[in-house]
Amino acid sequence: MQHDILKFIDSPDVREFNKNTAFTPAQQVILVSRSEKTTIFEKIEMLEYLLNTYTEEEFGEDSIIFDCIWDRCMSFYENTKHMVQMWKDILAEREVQDGSIYVARFEERAFFHERGDEEHYFSSYENAYAYMKEEKEEYLDIEKRHGKPIPMVGFIMRVVLDEDVCDIYWFDNDLNLVKVSGREERYALSEEVRIEPFDHFIFHLPLPFHVGDILKMETLKNEPVYGVVYYEWNEPKNPILVSMYMWLDCYWEEKKKYDFMDDAPILSLTYATDEDLKTLSEEESYKLRLLSKARKKEIDFYELLLDRNIPI
């Protein structure tokens, strides 16, 4: 495997914009951990490469921010070592026959958050995965008949009986294992020492987007959502304002109102193309274009709120 950090930046637009950015090893760890388009095995290999190539002093810990109010227990280098080992342990225990049960879901991404009762129970990881493969084959047949792809997402939970704890294995549309998460007890090395999840660490990532741009957000578990940039993505002077999420203007057609979203992961954002906007209803596409014009000051916000038929 070529150890190219750009592979782990999911957004092609953000990747291209940062192709010459000199990320520190610590920043690279964060990018790797947040990728949803690479497998867990690729992530482990890249993280082990970083740990074996750079010393703790070379890791660039001062280039990242610990985004929690409590004190952490170890250096980011040591934390990364423990997280990688945790991932490897979770993977190794997939096939352990200790009386655990395996809960599987694999279904259309569009309905994933609406259907909480589509879970199936198995005595082994192997059987749970076989079920997911069968589901995927059925949907491939449906795709052939309808002539368009149906994005899927799924997981297997390994539930430890009588303890109400579980490990989770996340799969993408092609049944690639892209993420794992461990039960709470895995994070506690002792009563005083705790491993921090990677998403507790952030840094300011430069982005190519500007006020008025219409963006598409698409993640592992969510259908595409569209919004409009309403502030310039400059590095804050106050570190407490650094974030890896962007706020966007949006239009919720079902509510017939303008709104905003405050949780768009920046690594999932791309420019919305004309083809993207054609997949939306005429109303939503029109409202997003109006928002874009208003944010670019090509029309007055008063005109937008009057909801006149403004040509775009």
Side-chain angles (χ1 to χ4, degrees), residues 25-221:
Q27 291 171 340
Q28 292 183 56
V29 169
I30 294 172
L31 293 173
V32 171
S33 69
R34 289 175 180 260
S35 171
E36 294 186 335
K37 295 186 177 180
T38 53
T39 70
I40 190 66
F41 308 101
E42 291 171 313
K43 292 182 180 72
I44 289 173
E45 183 173 348
M46 183 63 177
L47 294 180
E48 289 186 328
Y49 165 78
L50 292 170
L51 289 167
N52 293 331
T53 302
Y54 301 97
T55 65
E56 187 167 340
E57 291 71 27
E58 296 169 332
F59 226 55
E61 183 156 343
D62 58 351
S63 67
I64 64 172
I65 297 167
F66 180 55
D67 192 29
C68 291
I69 60 173
W70 56 84
D71 294 331
R72 54 196 173 100
C73 306
M74 65 188 80
S75 70
F76 186 64
Y77 181 89
E78 286 297 318
N79 199 90
T80 301
K81 285 173 62 176
H82 284 294
M83 280 298 299
V84 169
Q85 186 58 53
M86 182 194 299
W87 285 358
K88 293 170 75 172
D89 291 342
I90 293 170
L91 290 171
E93 292 175 20
R94 283 176 292 177
E95 305 291 350
V96 173
Q97 299 297 322
D98 61 355
S100 296
I101 62 170
Y102 296 81
V103 184
R105 282 183 67 189
F106 190 69
E107 58 187 280
E108 296 174 54
R109 188 177 61 182
F111 305 114
F112 188 77
H113 296 286
E114 298 175 14
R115 299 174 179 168
D117 57 350
E118 296 293 321
E119 297 176 345
H120 300 263
Y121 299 83
F122 302 91
S123 60
S124 70
Y125 180 94
E126 181 181 9
N127 291 343
Y129 185 74
Y131 156 78
M132 295 174 71
K133 287 182 66 175
E134 290 175 4
E135 288 290 296
K136 179 61 180 177
E137 290 299 323
E138 287 186 19
Y139 274 96
L140 286 174
D141 289 339
I142 297 172
E143 288 179 358
K144 290 176 184 177
R145 293 198 299 271
H146 291 271
K148 65 177 184 179
I150 304 174
M152 308 287 291
V153 62
F155 66 72
I156 296 175
M157 286 194 298
R158 178 174 176 264
V159 182
V160 181
L161 293 178
D162 301 324
E163 296 184 26
D164 195 26
V165 294
C166 66
D167 298 318
I168 307 178
Y169 308 82
W170 285 97
F171 297 84
D172 67 11
N173 179 64
D174 298 314
L175 284 178
N176 296 309
L177 178 51
V178 294
K179 284 187 173 184
V180 296
S181 58
R183 53 189 184 265
E184 182 63 25
E185 65 192 55
R186 291 189 185 275
Y187 293 89
L189 298 180
S190 68
E191 289 186 6
E192 295 80 22
V193 181
R194 172 184 165 83
I195 306 168
E196 296 295 342
F198 282 131
D199 59 7
H200 287 182
F201 300 90
I202 60 175
F203 71 98
H204 177 77
L205 177 67
L207 299 179
F209 312 121
H210 296 284
V211 170
D213 288 341
I214 304 176
L215 303 185
K216 173 183 178 180
M217 179 193 83
E218 187 172 13
T219 67
L220 176 70
K221 306 171 193 175

